[in-house]
Amino acid sequence: MKTNFFMGILVSLLVTGVVSTGKTTTANDKAIEETAQRVDYFHYVKQTCDALLEHGVDNYGPVKTGMIISMLDRFSLEPFDSLPPAPEGLRSQDRADTFGHNANLQFNLYRVLYLLSDITGDPKYRRGAQADLSDFLKYAQSPETGLLGWGEHLFYDLKEDKVQSGFKRGKRYPKYHEMKRKFLFWDFFYKNNPQAVLNFAGGLWEHQIYNQATGNFSRHALWDKHGPNKDYDFPKEGSYMIDVWARSFQATQNPVFQNAINVLVSRYIKKINPIYLIDFDTARPDYCDNTATLGLAVECENAAKRLPENGIRDKLEFLASEIDKGFLLLGHRPANPQKGFYYSVYTNNGKLKPRHGGIGYSFYWGMSYGRKTTAMLANLCYGRYLQLCEGTEKEKYRLLVVQAADGYLNFDPDLSAGEIWPVEYGMVIFSELAAYKLTGQKKYLQRAQTLCDDALQIFWDKKSPLPKASSKLNHYEAVTRADTLLLALLAVYVE
């Protein structure tokens, strides 16, 4: 069951490496693996994917595609006539419509489908993922800008056969392109339709960047015509663009993409202050989001490996190193469920800045718009740990991962107090697996298994093969990222 394909896919989650399944099973592990079989995690993953491939593939409008719908009634396995209640903490303009498809929020689902074909030998799962991705690239790209109909505010309407935006106060939100997650499956996209991928990379430079001399941009740019905004130059979105440009340069050697990287990384380097912190955006220079900057460090390191040894590569590595200094100087307390990581701080002094209903610490449980969880940051720390050479900084990241896993060992969400999303369990499971990889201590694997069992009780029932959108809702909706939980269940299953 443990193949090189598993190791390659599961070595990364979100924007970073999170778990590797490369450990060889020994006799000492048998008791642990037998415990894992209390519940057949694989069964739940497979039944979910079978249901989505049978009932969720686009058969709704005049144009039939391979795209998988992002919202379904869990019982009828049909699209809704009107939108069901929204997950708690989610803005209305961030939801797809009842026939919506958002590839950016389903990347881990495609990973799971690939893995299922590898496990079962049945190619239908891989074919399902590839059909979705191929048709998305074919139909959801703007001919004017090259940008894609996905992200935080856009989706492809499978019934109307067009890219659409969500509603805010009863009106359609502007068609703003924003990358919500990293552009995974780039290699498949490029092999399948190289010109479309390069048009997207070029579109990010021509239509997302407001000022090509300074790199000023906004996470929001109009999808269907030239309309970049400025001053909301979030490091997270910037890191995703750097990744796309680095891959495109590696494939083509086109200097336009290398120049785009240089402009953006130079902008972020100029933002570094004396305590190695970077403001979240130009509009709010007093605020630093350490989740965004740590993700930027990870992607800068990845991008550097795709470039020749030159000054731009040096800048990427320098920026990543400076971010390490600022992040590791802060007073993180990830082992304490009442505290956590310093995710929101004042840029000038590194002190906690109140944000999203908290005082600046990461939240152990309870996702909503803009909130960052301790597990999310722990997984980023693990991703950065995997990139670094042996030394003090690598060891500090290792300790932060283990401390976060320790905090989650005996701290469950209060289901009566708030709404929990599937992605939260997925991220915590991955952080426990990361600690297991780093220490070899079975308690972390056992905790991951317990969390899997709990998640199955919360998000699945015998009435439907699909997971619930949250602990308090009874429909399926990809925006709460059950795909990450599915991937985590498989990671524990193959461990």
Side-chain angles (χ1 to χ4, degrees):
M1 183 184 301
K2 296 184 180 184
T3 68
N4 289 332
F5 183 75
F6 280 117
M7 298 176 201
I9 293 292
L10 291 181
V11 77
S12 61
L13 174 70
L14 304 175
V15 297
T16 69
V18 173
V19 61
S20 167
T21 59
K23 179 182 69 63
T24 301
T25 303
T26 68
N28 293 334
D29 297 320
K30 287 184 177 179
I32 300 297
E33 294 191 354
E34 288 171 359
T35 302
Q37 299 309 311
R38 291 195 309 266
V39 178
D40 189 351
Y41 306 136
F42 171 76
H43 165 74
Y44 283 86
V45 175
K46 183 176 181 297
Q47 75 168 14
T48 296
C49 292
D50 284 338
L52 288 174
L53 290 179
E54 182 177 354
H55 300 280
V57 175
D58 177 19
N59 191 35
Y60 308 115
V63 179
K64 314 304 180 188
T65 74
M67 286 184 267
I68 300 170
I69 200 166
S70 294
M71 185 187 302
L72 280 175
D73 184 308
R74 293 180 60 245
F75 308 109
S76 69
L77 300 179
E78 296 286 342
F80 288 96
D81 294 326
S82 59
L83 281 173
E88 186 177 278
L90 187 70
R91 302 180 306 176
S92 62
Q93 65 265 33
D94 298 343
R95 301 180 79 191
D97 285 359
T98 54
F99 287 87
H101 165 276
N102 193 335
N104 214 193
L105 298 182
Q106 298 186 157
F107 273 135
N108 282 338
L109 172 62
Y110 309 136
R111 283 170 155 170
V112 168
L113 291 170
Y114 267 74
L115 286 165
L116 283 178
S117 279
D118 199 65
I119 293 171
T120 64
D122 188 340
K124 76 172 185 179
Y125 301 104
R126 186 181 295 109
R127 285 200 301 259
Q130 292 176 344
D132 184 315
L133 293 166
S134 298
D135 282 347
F136 166 74
L137 195 59
K138 179 179 179 180
Y139 292 107
Q141 186 168 41
S142 168
E144 288 78 17
T145 66
L147 300 177
L148 295 168
W150 62 3
E152 189 159 49
H153 305 300
L154 297 180
F155 58 89
Y156 189 82
D157 189 316
L158 300 175
K159 188 174 183 180
E160 299 295 329
D161 296 317
K162 64 180 181 180
V163 170
Q164 192 55 276
S165 59
F167 283 96
K168 182 178 182 180
R169 300 189 186 96
K171 296 182 179 180
R172 288 286 182 187
Y173 204 61
K175 287 187 178 179
Y176 283 140
H177 173 266
E178 177 182 0
M179 293 181 70
K180 186 64 173 175
R181 291 166 101 173
K182 182 177 174 178
F183 191 9
L184 302 178
F185 289 92
W186 190 95
D187 291 336
F188 170 78
F189 277 123
Y190 187 73
K191 181 179 180 180
N192 181 261
N193 194 338
Q195 192 56 56
V197 172
L198 297 179
N199 287 345
F200 174 65
L204 290 174
W205 176 239
E206 294 295 337
H207 302 288
Q208 192 91 37
I209 303 300
Y210 179 84
N211 187 320
Q212 293 182 343
T214 67
N216 194 344
F217 76 96
S218 168
R219 63 184 180 130
H220 287 167
L222 291 177
W223 171 81
D224 52 352
K225 61 183 177 181
H226 182 72
N229 292 317
K230 62 179 180 177
D231 293 343
Y232 288 90
D233 42 346
F234 294 4
K236 178 171 70 72
E237 282 71 8
S239 76
Y240 297 158
M241 290 192 286
I242 287 171
D243 172 70
V244 169
W245 291 330
R247 292 173 183 273
S248 300
F249 175 78
Q250 186 181 41
T252 66
Q253 300 299 299
N254 186 333
V256 169
F257 300 128
Q258 189 170 232
N259 178 60
I261 296 170
N262 184 42
V263 169
L264 206 55
V265 73
S266 297
R267 180 174 186 82
Y268 288 124
I269 287 174
K270 290 178 182 178
K271 286 173 173 282
I272 298 171
N273 70 6
I275 56 173
Y276 310 105
L277 297 179
I278 299 174
D279 52 72
F280 188 54
D281 56 43
T282 300
R284 290 165 288 187
D286 68 326
Y287 163 49
C288 175
D289 183 322
N290 287 297
T291 318
T293 53
L294 186 53
L296 176 61
V298 171
E299 293 310 329
C300 282
E301 195 75 42
N302 287 336
K305 294 178 172 60
R306 301 181 183 280
L307 300 184
E309 294 185 5
N310 58 21
I312 301 173
R313 178 171 177 165
D314 292 342
K315 286 182 180 180
L316 288 163
E317 293 174 341
F318 172 76
L319 177 57
S321 178
E322 295 292 280
I323 290 171
D324 288 335
K325 293 174 185 176
F327 184 82
L328 293 173
L329 282 173
L330 298 171
H332 305 297
R333 302 283 297 278
N336 186 339
Q338 308 307 321
K339 297 187 183 297
F341 286 95
Y342 274 48
Y343 100 83
S344 172
V345 300
Y346 290 100
T347 311
N348 65 341
N349 58 22
K351 294 182 179 179
L352 292 168
K353 175 180 172 58
R355 189 79 176 155
H356 296 298
I359 64 171
Y361 281 117
S362 57
F363 298 85
Y364 254 61
W365 297 97
M367 288 286 288
S368 67
Y369 175 75
R371 280 196 174 196
K372 310 301 189 299
T373 67
T374 296
M376 183 187 298
L377 277 146
N379 291 332
L380 283 166
C381 287
Y382 185 54
R384 189 63 180 132
Y385 164 88
L386 293 174
Q387 294 177 328
L388 293 171
C389 299
E390 295 298 328
T392 302
E393 290 182 340
K394 186 180 182 76
E395 175 60 15
K396 288 181 178 179
Y397 278 117
R398 188 191 74 84
L399 288 174
L400 289 173
V401 175
V402 174
Q403 289 167 4
D406 284 338
Y408 279 107
L409 282 175
N410 297 295
F411 194 79
D412 294 322
D414 182 354
L415 297 178
S416 66
E419 195 167 308
I420 303 300
W421 296 1
V423 66
E424 298 182 57
Y425 268 87
M427 290 189 295
V428 178
I429 291 165
F430 273 112
S431 66
E432 295 296 323
L433 288 174
Y436 174 56
K437 296 296 178 184
L438 292 173
T439 67
Q441 294 184 37
K442 300 297 194 300
K443 63 181 180 180
Y444 299 115
L445 179 56
Q446 290 172 324
R447 178 57 171 161
Q449 293 163 352
T450 298
L451 288 163
C452 287
D453 296 341
D454 292 346
L456 295 179
Q457 292 294 317
I458 295 168
F459 300 110
W460 276 269
D461 55 41
K462 295 181 179 180
K463 299 177 182 179
S464 174
L466 296 180
K468 301 175 183 178
S470 78
S471 59
K472 293 186 177 182
L473 295 176
N474 217 5
H475 68 276
Y476 169 80
E477 188 167 358
V479 70
T480 53
R481 304 197 298 269
D483 64 340
T484 297
L485 175 56
L486 292 171
L487 189 62
L489 289 170
L490 272 189
V492 174
Y493 174 76
V494 303
E495 181 55 54

